[in-house]
Amino acid sequence: MTGAGVSAESGVATFRDPGGLWEGRRPEEVATPEAFARDPHDVWRFYQHRRRALSACQPNAGHRALAALEKLAADFTLVTQNVDGLHRLAGSENVIELHGNIWIDRCSGANRPPGEPSCPERLLKPGDRGIDNPHCPVCGSMTRPGVVWFGEMLVPAVLEAADQAARSCQVMLVAGTSSVVQPAAGLSSLAAQHGAMVVEINPDHTPLSPLADLCLRGPSGVILPAIIEQMGQSQESH
Ligand code: OAD
């Protein structure tokens, strides 16, 4: 499982580290349904700005190590809280994006009659900003970025898939997250309860640290590639 720290070495700001602001604004003020209801154009300006900033960011050695690990491991699921799309860009395939993806344009459903099925989403390529203040081609509602905002529920099927992966894994690597935001933070306890070895990868202590079987202190861009290297060496020696 990964959090914002895994993208820090790609130049993406985290949430809670010093300087963890997005474009000079607190995420909690602009990434909310209330902010969108009040001024959707302002929220879109903010997200277009963020997309522009992200399109200059490339996956780092930590992202690439996780993509390599997926190929080495018999069964591997990457659960991420990040919305930047960098894991897929690095080549990870089995990715559960708990908090959505900033490169998705999704219908806000404001004009859709109750009970109507959801309108299709559009996945942009990283770097493509989409249209400014776009509208859904099906129902005409304003579109919104496909991320989970503060105060919103996670998509139940996505959370269930992450729960299932946590319940059934043998080892859970938890990299670059402060482990304070639920329900994501609860996944590592769930994995531990079901017998998994939990390994934290983070330069700092977090609420997960006392519960983890092992804490590897350092940047994920250094530690994750070192894990892959060790795995390669131990496979060679068998
Ligand atoms: P945070 O900003 O809360 O935590 C980032 C963590 O990464 C901290 O524990 C840092 O110590 C660690 N870190 C910093 N640099 C690192 C590096 N190079 N390598 C490894 N770790 C490093 O970010 P998250 O835990 O991802 O939710 O935040 C969780 C959620 O809080 C976000 O997904 C977001 C926010 O509310 C939504 O937007 C719904």
Side-chain angles (χ1 to χ4, degrees):
M1 182 164 76
T2 65
V6 163
S7 292
E9 289 153 88
S10 295
V12 182
T14 59
F15 291 82
R16 293 174 186 79
D17 291 312
L21 295 176
W22 292 348
E23 327 306 345
R25 299 178 72 171
R26 294 182 63 77
E28 297 87 340
E29 281 166 16
V30 71
T32 65
E34 293 76 21
F36 190 74
R38 200 167 47 238
D39 189 348
H41 299 285
D42 180 52
V43 173
W44 261 120
R45 262 193 305 277
F46 170 79
Y47 275 95
Q48 296 292 53
H49 198 80
R50 245 188 98 55
R51 282 179 176 175
R52 254 198 311 278
L54 280 174
S55 59
C57 299
Q58 293 300 320
N60 64 55
H63 295 110
R64 288 194 294 275
L66 289 171
L69 187 53
E70 182 168 359
K71 300 208 165 50
L72 283 174
D75 188 7
F76 181 89
T77 306
L78 179 52
V79 179
T80 187
Q81 298 166 80
N82 300 344
V83 300
D84 54 32
L86 290 175
H87 282 303
R88 288 186 203 276
L89 210 55
S92 287
E93 288 175 9
N94 191 16
V95 184
I96 297 175
E97 290 169 323
L98 274 185
H99 296 162
N101 185 321
I102 198 169
W103 299 105
I104 289 176
D105 278 353
R106 179 151 68 77
C107 174
S108 65
N111 297 346
R112 199 186 322 131
E116 285 287 307
S118 302
C119 302
E121 297 179 341
R122 194 160 76 102
L123 178 61
L124 307 175
K125 285 200 203 70
D128 180 355
R129 292 173 56 222
I131 313 154
D132 279 323
N133 304 320
H135 289 81
C136 172
V138 179
C139 74
S141 308
M142 233 175 143
T143 52
R144 54 165 283 179
V147 297
V148 177
W149 280 331
F150 292 89
E152 286 187 320
M153 302 278 286
L154 271 58
V155 176
V158 172
L159 183 57
E160 179 48 38
D163 257 51
Q164 181 52 38
R167 273 194 298 266
S168 59
C169 70
Q170 289 177 301
V171 179
M172 187 183 223
L173 304 177
V174 185
T177 175
S178 55
S179 288
V180 293
V181 174
Q182 296 295 351
L187 293 172
S188 26
S189 323
L190 188 65
Q193 279 160 24
H194 285 79
M197 178 187 188
V198 175
V199 181
E200 174 173 69
I201 298 156
N202 197 311
D204 293 326
H205 186 277
T206 75
L208 173 65
S209 305
L211 313 172
D213 295 290
L214 183 64
C215 295
L216 302 174
R217 294 278 170 241
S220 48
V222 173
I223 306 250
L224 287 168
I227 291 175
I228 302 297
E229 200 180 321
Q230 290 282 322
M231 282 177 73
Q233 281 171 11
S234 72
Q235 280 189 347
E236 276 167 26
S237 63
H238 281 110

